[in-house]
Amino acid sequence: MRASVAPPIHFTITSQPHRCRFIEESLRWLLLHQRTDTARLVVQKATRLNRVCVPESCLTQAQRRLSSHRDDKANFLDLMRLKCVRLLSFNLFLAWFINSAIYYGISLNTSGLGGSFYFNFLLVGLVEIPGFLLAMVLLEKCGRNKLIVTFMIVGGVACFLVPYMLKVNTIATVSIAMVGKFCISTSFAAIYIYTGELYPSVLRNTGLGASVMFARIGGVIAPFIMMTSSILDALPYIFFGVVAVVSALLLLLLPETKGRILPDTMSDIEEFLLKTKRQPASPV
C-alpha cells in the first residue's frame, strides 16, 4: 500500500456508528477477511475515478501476500518489546505531548498577549483553518517528516520570541503568537498521518491510540505550564520553544513514509525503520 494522505476530518466521520457511504473499507481489511468481491469493487471504483488500469493479478498477489499475516496479532506491550519500536514510540509520544501542550497552551493564554481578549480568541481559532489546509497540501508535496519537523521548529522559535515581543508592542506579540499557533496546528494535523504510517498494520490502532493518550496528557498539563509565568513571565513560552525544537530534531531520526511500502507485521517494522531508501509503491 502506498502511503497517502487522508484529511483529518476522516477521523470524525469514521468514528460514527453509521458507515459513511463516501468512504470505502480498507482493501487490506477486506482481503484479510476474505471479502475479495467487495475488494474488487473498491479497486474498480478507484481505477475508474483515477482513470488508470490495475491488472486483476495485482489483487490476487496482494491477497496471497496478506493471507500469510491473517493470524498476526499485537497488543500494547508490543510497543515496548522491540528496541526499534520502543524508540519510535517514545519519540512519537513526546512529539504528540508537545504538540498538544503548545496547541492548548497558546489557545488558553490569549488574555496574556495583550489587546482585546475576544479578538485574540477569534484569531487563535481562525489560524487553525489555513494550518490544516496547508498540511493536506504539503503532506503530498514535501513528505511527512520534513513538514512536521519544519513547522515544529518554526512554531517553537515563535513561542520563544513571544515574551520578547511583549516588550515591543501588542501587534507584534499577537502576530508572533499566531505564527506559533499556525505552525503547531499544521504539525499537529500532519502527525496523525505520520504516526499511522510508521506503525505496522497489526499495531497501528494501538500505536495511534497510545499517541493520542499522550496528547491528551499534554492538553491537561498545558494550563499548569502556563501557570509557571508566576515564577517568570517568559518561562512558559521559553519552555514551549525549547521542547518543540528538541522534539523536532529527534523526529529527524525517523524515516520518511511518503511513497514507501508500509509495514504489515512486527517482522516488517525493524527493516522499515532502518531502511531509509525510498521504495516503489505497491498496487495495494
Side-chain angles (χ1 to χ4, degrees):
M1 174 179 282
R2 179 180 180 274
S4 57
V5 176
I9 191 66
H10 283 192
F11 292 100
T12 302
I13 295 175
T14 55
S15 66
Q16 300 303 318
H18 302 290
R19 179 177 177 270
C20 178
R21 67 179 65 184
F22 301 109
I23 301 178
E24 301 294 346
E25 189 58 79
S26 165
L27 281 178
R28 290 174 182 268
W29 187 88
L30 292 172
L31 292 176
L32 284 172
H33 289 78
Q34 300 295 302
R35 295 177 56 179
T36 310
D37 293 337
T38 306
R40 186 176 292 105
L41 293 176
V42 173
V43 172
Q44 291 174 354
K45 180 179 178 180
T47 55
R48 185 172 62 254
L49 291 174
N50 291 278
R51 299 178 181 179
V52 295
C53 181
V54 176
E56 179 70 22
S57 59
C58 290
L59 194 62
T60 304
Q61 293 173 7
Q63 184 178 21
R64 188 181 303 113
R65 176 169 56 85
L66 293 174
S67 62
S68 61
H69 305 315
R70 187 176 298 115
D71 297 326
D72 291 345
K73 295 181 180 179
N75 53 47
F76 183 81
L77 294 178
D78 288 302
L79 291 173
M80 302 298 158
R81 187 163 289 130
L82 294 177
K83 180 180 179 180
C84 61
V85 180
R86 186 164 60 247
L87 294 176
L88 165 68
S89 298
F90 286 151
N91 203 336
L92 289 175
F93 294 164
L94 177 63
W96 278 81
F97 174 87
I98 292 171
N99 270 274
S100 180
I102 297 176
Y103 179 92
Y104 289 105
I106 296 177
S107 299
L108 297 174
N109 192 49
T110 52
S111 60
L113 299 176
S116 171
F117 163 77
Y118 300 102
F119 183 69
N120 293 346
F121 192 78
L122 175 65
L123 285 180
V124 87
L126 289 178
V127 295
E128 294 183 25
I129 299 175
F132 293 150
L133 296 176
L134 185 63
M136 293 172 60
V137 174
L138 294 183
L139 277 168
E140 278 297 324
K141 293 184 177 297
C142 304
R144 288 74 160 128
N145 189 278
K146 292 180 181 178
L147 171 63
I148 297 171
V149 169
T150 301
F151 278 84
M152 283 189 69
I153 290 177
V154 176
V157 171
C159 288
F160 192 84
L161 293 176
V162 167
Y164 300 99
M165 291 297 104
L166 286 169
K167 301 176 182 178
V168 181
N169 56 54
T170 301
I171 296 177
T173 304
V174 174
S175 298
I176 201 69
M178 294 307 111
V179 170
K181 179 62 184 298
F182 167 79
C183 291
I184 291 301
S185 297
T186 304
S187 65
F188 207 174
I191 204 171
Y192 274 92
I193 306 299
Y194 191 46
T195 301
E197 292 176 351
L198 283 171
Y199 283 112
S201 299
V202 295
L203 197 59
R204 191 158 291 134
N205 287 342
T206 303
L208 184 59
S211 299
V212 172
M213 178 186 70
F214 276 88
R216 301 288 76 82
I217 295 174
V220 170
I221 294 178
F224 298 98
I225 296 176
M226 298 309 300
M227 289 173 63
T228 60
S229 60
S230 60
I231 303 173
L232 179 66
D233 290 340
L235 186 57
Y237 286 102
I238 292 176
F239 172 78
F240 286 150
V242 171
V243 295
V245 173
V246 170
S247 178
L249 294 177
L250 288 175
L251 287 176
L252 290 173
L253 300 175
L254 302 181
E256 176 57 62
T257 58
K258 179 178 179 291
R260 294 188 60 186
I261 299 175
L262 302 182
D264 287 315
T265 65
M266 296 302 294
S267 59
D268 297 334
I269 185 63
E270 188 169 5
E271 179 183 0
F272 179 81
L273 292 176
L274 296 177
K275 191 173 182 180
T276 58
K277 185 178 179 181
R278 182 185 173 100
Q279 299 179 0
S282 67
V284 178

